[in-house]
Amino acid sequence: MLTGLNHLTLSVRDLTRSVVFYRDTLGLRLHARWDRGAYLSAGDLWLCLSLDAEAASDTGRTYTHYAFSIPQENFPAFSARLRTIGVPEWQQNRSAGDSLYFLDPDGHQLEAHAGSLAQRLAACHAAPYPGMVFEADA
């Protein structure tokens, strides 16, 4: 049985640029770096950056994205900082809870989300999405 998100591995075109973005812009902790990669963390989330100049692409957008947790009290300052330094956004928040949807230097779609699954489900119980069905034991 799966118990949660173990790690994310992102292909990047420029390892130095990506380490700077994730460490300095987003505040992740850098644990190790090597010629073709780096390990960082945000709380319990383990992030691997893997140099892959041919595979990394910012074309063909879908809703696939990676969400990082952020405490509600830190969200306004974090959002303002990313907007001030010009980090591109790929979507506006349309759901319950504060979220900022932004791109990393390789076009990976990221999100900073202040909230939990329990909070999202409570909001959905109050105003369900079209066709939404809740499981009895969930």
Side-chain angles (χ1 to χ4, degrees), residues 7-28:
H7 72 277
L8 302 176
T9 297
L10 300 178
S11 295
V12 300
R13 291 183 289 245
D14 181 324
L15 185 61
T16 299
R17 177 185 68 178
S18 293
V19 166
V20 167
F21 179 81
Y22 283 92
R23 182 192 60 209
D24 300 345
T25 303
L26 299 186
L28 274 67

Side-chain angles (χ1 to χ4, degrees), residues 91-138:
Q91 175 173 293
Q92 295 301 309
N93 186 28
R94 296 186 302 264
S95 58
D98 284 336
S99 287
L100 179 70
Y101 296 87
F102 58 97
L103 300 174
D104 81 352
D106 286 284
H108 295 291
Q109 297 177 157
L110 306 175
E111 174 188 2
H113 180 72
S116 66
L117 177 57
Q119 291 169 323
R120 175 64 55 86
L121 289 172
C124 287
H125 276 284
Y129 302 144
M132 188 172 231
V133 176
F134 297 94
E135 297 297 316
D137 62 346

Side-chain angles (χ1 to χ4, degrees), residues 37-54:
Y39 289 136
L40 300 100
S41 66
D44 292 333
L45 175 66
W46 162 26
L47 177 68
C48 175
L49 302 177
S50 178
L51 185 60
D52 188 353
E54 293 179 24

